[in-house]
Amino acid sequence: MQNGISLYLGLDNTPEENMQLIETAHKYGIKRIFTSLHIPETDTAALQSELQTVLQKARIYNMEVISDVSPHTLSLLNLAKLDTEALQQFGISTVRLDFGYGEKEIAALSKRIKVQFNASTLTKELLDNLQFYQTDFHCIDALHNFYPREGTGLSEAFLQKQNKLLHAYGVQTAAFVPSYNRARSPIKKGLPTLEAHRYKPVSSAAQQLVMLETDSVFIGDSLPTEKEMKILADLTTDYTTLKIKCLTQNQFVKNMLTENIFTVRVDGAEMALRLQEGRVLCRGEKIYPEYTAKRKCGMITLDNMNSGRYAGELQIVMKGQELDKSVNVIGKVLECDMILLKYLQANSKIKIELV
């Protein structure tokens, strides 16, 4: 996945912090930078003094810089018109369009520079018109907006609907997750695309976007931590990582959980997600009764030696069940990751992180 960070010159961060942000992103192989050059609260003089240095650094690292294009943007670059060759020389490799450009003009632009749309506002009619004017869809992608004010973010259903529409035309989609290491001014409530992700950790929010078939994830806020950028860099469509509170003292079980990728069985059970590798991995190992308790949604269970041939049966509980002395409760999915369980289905791959 080609994920990204966001830079807001002349706003929250010092020039040194912005340069370090680019360095850290490069260290983890993050190749995309979103920047907005017309935020009203920006110190324009500071933005202008920093812009060339930042664009040069991104160009050295071969990073894609996505910038909105408006008369104000062009004036900052001392351009009288939208000159794609000049923009690319500056280091802006993708222009983000929202309003004011006709389909015929966009089709012509797509043959000279990569074009990005607001994925939240694109319609089938506009996409059909772009096809009519022979737009190069290989040079088109779409990034959902972020929403600074609480209560204004998108719903999961709407994002999923827009992703499906855009994918039907071969358009890749992206969206934002918040970071609260330094939430962006002036509202400082985070910059998520989905309202459900406000105040959620990057790991959970980003994974949900992947499970909603979003192709790329950006951290929206000003200064994510290095740990958050590593999470973004490690994000994959190959498996879902679930953070688990460990409830077992058995070192064999701990190692088993963290050293393997698990698969949800095809024959879906009503009460739980059954992970097919458990009994194979536990073969020959005596799993003694340890913590047997009433089972609640999100608990991880492992059948102990009293379960006979089911010893080693590994499950994620989806519906509450009574205490069973042959079933050990070995962990609990953290609350922030509970939202991910509903997307897991037959053949889903799961990686477990003990916390």
Side-chain angles (χ1 to χ4, degrees), residues 206-220:
Q207 284 198 110
Q208 188 182 11
L209 288 177
V210 171
M211 296 168 97
L212 291 169
E213 299 183 78
T214 309
D215 303 296
S216 181
V217 178
F218 285 76
I219 296 178

Side-chain angles (χ1 to χ4, degrees), residues 169-184:
Y169 288 81
V171 177
Q172 297 273 290
T173 65
F176 290 96
V177 297
S179 165
Y180 295 96
N181 183 53
R182 183 175 296 163
R184 203 200 72 182

Side-chain angles (χ1 to χ4, degrees), residues 22 30 48 75 89 95 113 121 172 188 204 209 238 252 284:
I22 295 173
I30 295 170
Q48 287 180 307
S75 70
Q89 287 175 352
V95 293
I113 194 169
T121 59
Q172 297 273 290
K188 298 186 178 181
S204 305
L209 288 177
D238 294 339
F252 168 82

Side-chain angles (χ1 to χ4, degrees), residues 4-257:
I5 57 170
S6 302
L7 283 178
Y8 309 101
L9 310 182
L11 193 57
D12 296 312
N13 300 352
T14 65
E16 293 76 20
E17 285 173 329
N18 281 331
M19 294 302 283
Q20 184 58 54
L21 189 58
I22 295 173
E23 294 277 357
T24 306
H26 173 67
K27 171 183 173 181
Y28 287 108
I30 295 170
K31 304 293 288 184
R32 308 184 80 187
I33 298 173
F34 169 82
T35 186
S36 180
L37 302 181
H38 60 60
I39 300 168
E41 294 80 11
T42 298
D43 180 336
T44 304
L47 185 156
Q48 287 180 307
S49 69
E50 195 180 347
L51 183 58
Q52 295 303 319
T53 308
V54 165
L55 291 177
Q56 182 181 20
K57 175 68 78 172
R59 191 162 61 245
I60 289 169
Y61 287 149
N62 194 29
M63 299 175 86
E64 177 190 7
V65 177
I66 302 159
S67 176
D68 42 50
V69 173
S70 68
H72 177 67
T73 307
L74 298 177
S75 70
L76 290 172
L77 299 170
N78 296 314
L79 296 177
K81 62 179 182 177
L82 202 167
D83 183 334
T84 55
E85 187 174 334
L87 288 173
Q88 288 166 327
Q89 287 175 352
F90 276 118
I92 295 173
S93 43
T94 300
V95 293
R96 181 169 166 83
L97 305 179
D98 212 338
F99 302 106
Y101 295 89
E103 290 93 336
K104 191 172 183 179
E105 187 178 8
I106 293 167
L109 273 176
S110 72
K111 295 172 174 62
R112 303 197 302 271
I113 194 169
K114 189 173 177 182
V115 175
Q116 184 177 89
F117 290 100
N118 177 354
S120 311
T121 59
L122 274 178
T123 64
K124 185 178 187 302
E125 180 183 11
L126 176 60
L127 290 163
D128 286 340
N129 288 339
L130 290 173
Q131 279 189 332
F132 176 80
Y133 286 111
Q134 299 182 326
T135 301
D136 185 352
F137 274 74
H138 292 102
C139 292
I140 297 287
D141 78 356
L143 172 61
H144 289 277
N145 262 6
F146 52 61
Y147 295 89
R149 183 191 181 281
E150 285 182 304
T152 61
L154 300 182
S155 71
E156 172 190 323
F158 180 79
L159 179 134
Q160 202 165 21
K161 178 175 76 71
Q162 287 296 106
N163 281 355
K164 184 177 180 181
L165 169 67
L166 290 159
H167 287 158
Y169 288 81
V171 177
Q172 297 273 290
T173 65
F176 290 96
V177 297
S179 165
Y180 295 96
N181 183 53
R182 183 175 296 163
R184 203 200 72 182
S185 297
I187 299 176
K188 298 186 178 181
K189 300 289 187 181
L191 297 178
T193 291
L194 291 184
E195 187 60 34
H197 290 166
R198 206 173 300 276
Y199 308 120
K200 292 289 193 297
V202 166
S203 57
S204 305
Q207 284 198 110
Q208 188 182 11
L209 288 177
V210 171
M211 296 168 97
L212 291 169
E213 299 183 78
T214 309
D215 303 296
S216 181
V217 178
F218 285 76
I219 296 178
D221 284 281
S222 297
L223 194 64
T225 66
E226 184 166 347
K227 181 180 178 181
E228 288 174 328
M229 285 197 276
K230 185 179 187 309
I231 288 168
L232 200 69
D234 291 343
L235 195 62
T236 177
T237 57
D238 294 339
Y239 54 78
T240 298
T241 299
L242 293 177
K243 293 186 288 300
I244 307 295
K245 179 181 179 181
C246 185
L247 298 175
T248 178
Q249 299 301 314
N250 186 318
Q251 193 58 49
F252 168 82
V253 174
K254 289 180 182 180
N255 292 341
M256 178 191 71
L257 291 176

